[in-house]
Amino acid sequence: MSQSDSRASAGAPQNPVMMTLEQAFALAQQHLNAGRLADADRVCGDILRSRPDFAPALHLRGVVAYSAGDLDAAVGLVGQAVAADGGVALFHCNLGEMHRRAGRLDAALAAGRKALALDPDLPQALNNVGIVHYERGEYEEAVAHYRRATARAADYAEAWSNLGNALRALKAYDEALTAYGQALRLRPGFADALNNMGTALREMGRQDDAEAAYRQAQAMMPDSPAVLNNLALALKEKEQFDEAAALLTRSLAADPNNGRTLTYLALVRLEQARTADAEAAASRALALAPDDADALNAMGLVRFEQQDAQTALTLFRRAVALKPDLADAYNNIANVLKENGQLAEARQAYERAIELDPRQTAYYGNLADAQTFTKGDSRLAAMEALAGVPAGLSVMAQSRLNFALAKAYDDLGRYDEAFACMSRGNRLKRGQTSYDEAAALALFDRIRAVFDRRLMEAATAGCGSSLPVFIVGMPRSGTTLVEQILASHPQVHGAGELSEFSRLTTGLAGPAGEPFRYPEAAPALTPGQLRGLGEAYVEGLRRRAPAAARVTDKMPANFFFLGLIHMALPGARVVHVRRDPLDTCLSCYSKLFTAEQNFAYELGELGRYYRKYAELMDHWRETLPAGVLLEVRYEEVVADTEGQARRILDHCGLDWDPRCLAFHKTERPVRTASVAQVRRPIYDSAVSRWRRYERHLRPLRKALGMPGA
């Protein structure tokens, strides 16, 4: 906030009664400069009692009120100063800034323009008017005013930083970095400029550089919510979700009612699979600002995760109505439409998201899953252009783009190019992934050691409900197709991939009340614990579909829990879907999973994981009682859909229904990477797909223990 140019001398008299008007005003100015706000206000009051229309004192008292946080009083006093003497540009300049702080942008712009009419070269006024234009989204006008301010005052660090902000908004990133650099040369400890520079770097995809800038700013302002939030966003992009959440929690401690922080926290909690915490954060954000588009978008993601797709769609559409350029909300609308089988509408929404933010590579990946590319596709050209300048993309953005390109090239039959993109995408993702292969593979052996035949034969204490049907297998093995066939039966509800059994297992207690350790603690569970586990799981299914005779849970990795599932739910049925190992692994390798499948991003690790999975399934086949586990081969479902569908229904205790053969017409949400495939009649083009890539798969064949590797 600018003040009068008057300055008091060190020897100014201390008794206003004995001073001239000019001396008293200088004393008030001296008090303000020293931070003695009460003294400055008292002296101004003394002046105004003798000269109520003395404009400099009215203005100075307004600045004092502003510094004390009383914005309404400040606006009133500076407004009186303007009324008393409207010819001082500085008064209009400061009145405009106060209006801006109060959210009155039109009044702020009018006051700023009046200041410039009186003094076209006043740097503070040029800067302040630039800020108003920036907040109105008028970035080119903002740039023009900031450039004039820095031309008149080359050492004006704040104006240089603000110029960087406006250039960043125009995506003129190189010029923005130059402006921030000038601000920092003028003021090396300028934390706001460092923070703003970090944001430009983050938007350029230079996540490591952005993080470094934010951390420098944080060292100067450890508790600044703006800096903490921005650093959290940079870490979120790098998938360092735990530290991002910790930073946002610190930010909320400093500013508990910051809706932006709450929205960011909701998004990070979703990435951590902490949906209840995400819902709490998004709810608080919306309570503070019910019409905030970003908060509505975050709550939509929460509802989508909770499988309330219709509410999610309503929230996303409300968000874009309020903020038509919110690209992420269009992407989320498309995800809901794709899940519901409305593929044409989904593609339109993805196209809109890309149009608004053509550098967001996740949108291309989602579009690729919803369409088949043809020669000359404009989106393929756009992706290739982005891939040509990878320095402008973060590591994860490059990974997403390569997976999308791989899908496009596969559609076009350009298999060598497709595999090259798969390899780059997986390599980039693997570099960002923490995967302890030894521990992961050891878990398979530990499970086999604990769940022997004797333990399985004694499993009679659990809940006897026949409601649950577990569909298990490797990812990309055909589990979605089998669930879609089952869910087309009028007595079956397809619940999709549920994490409920894993979550309930985590909540169990060991023999001495200690946290449950799976699998070693499973034999010590009491009959009451097993029955309670089964009943809690069935209760959750029943809430989803009160009238269904069967509810499917197609979380593929439930194969880890089949022994415990049988102990807790001896009446449940399991369908294991098995697909050719090479086809399964290639399909995994071609997908960037939304949920972590950390074993899938390197061919050797993927093959070794598959072998352990196959060993474990052989173990379950030998140890589970007859009638519990049915094995279905994907290739046989494709070749003889009716015959295999009859086997599956019979295993689940259901009568035949011909609607199971028209599974592609069944209207239900499908939330997997196979969403587009199960909307089509049965096809065999995915059988032996690996042959198109055979010459690239030697490391996989070796890891799988195949001859000729």
Side-chain angles (χ1 to χ4, degrees), residues 403-473:
F403 277 102
L405 282 167
K407 167 60 164 58
Y409 291 141
D410 184 87
D411 287 346
L412 295 167
R414 295 161 59 178
Y415 300 123
D416 288 345
E417 292 167 276
F419 192 82
C421 289
M422 281 183 218
S423 296
R424 281 194 295 271
N426 279 289
R427 185 170 61 253
L428 291 165
K429 172 65 176 176
R430 182 66 183 88
Q432 300 289 300
T433 300
S434 176
Y435 176 53
D436 185 342
E437 184 181 19
L441 300 186
L443 176 60
F444 289 94
D445 297 332
R446 289 164 48 209
I447 292 170
R448 288 163 53 209
V450 169
F451 291 96
D452 56 20
R453 188 187 301 274
R454 178 191 56 78
L455 185 61
M456 293 297 90
E457 289 174 349
T460 59
C463 171
S465 173
S466 61
L467 182 67
V469 176
F470 292 89
I471 303 171
V472 301

Side-chain angles (χ1 to χ4, degrees), residues 207 236-239 241 271 359-366 368 383 393-407 421 424-426 428-429 592-593:
Q207 301 303 326
K236 175 179 177 289
E237 175 61 24
K238 296 174 71 173
E239 299 191 351
F241 301 123
E271 297 285 1
R359 293 178 59 82
Q360 179 51 262
T361 60
Y363 304 160
Y364 293 101
N366 290 337
M383 289 191 291
L393 299 173
S394 70
V395 171
M396 281 311 303
Q398 291 180 58
S399 178
R400 296 183 196 108
L401 180 60
N402 274 283
F403 277 102
L405 282 167
K407 167 60 164 58
C421 289
R424 281 194 295 271
N426 279 289
L428 291 165
K429 172 65 176 176
L592 179 59
F593 292 96

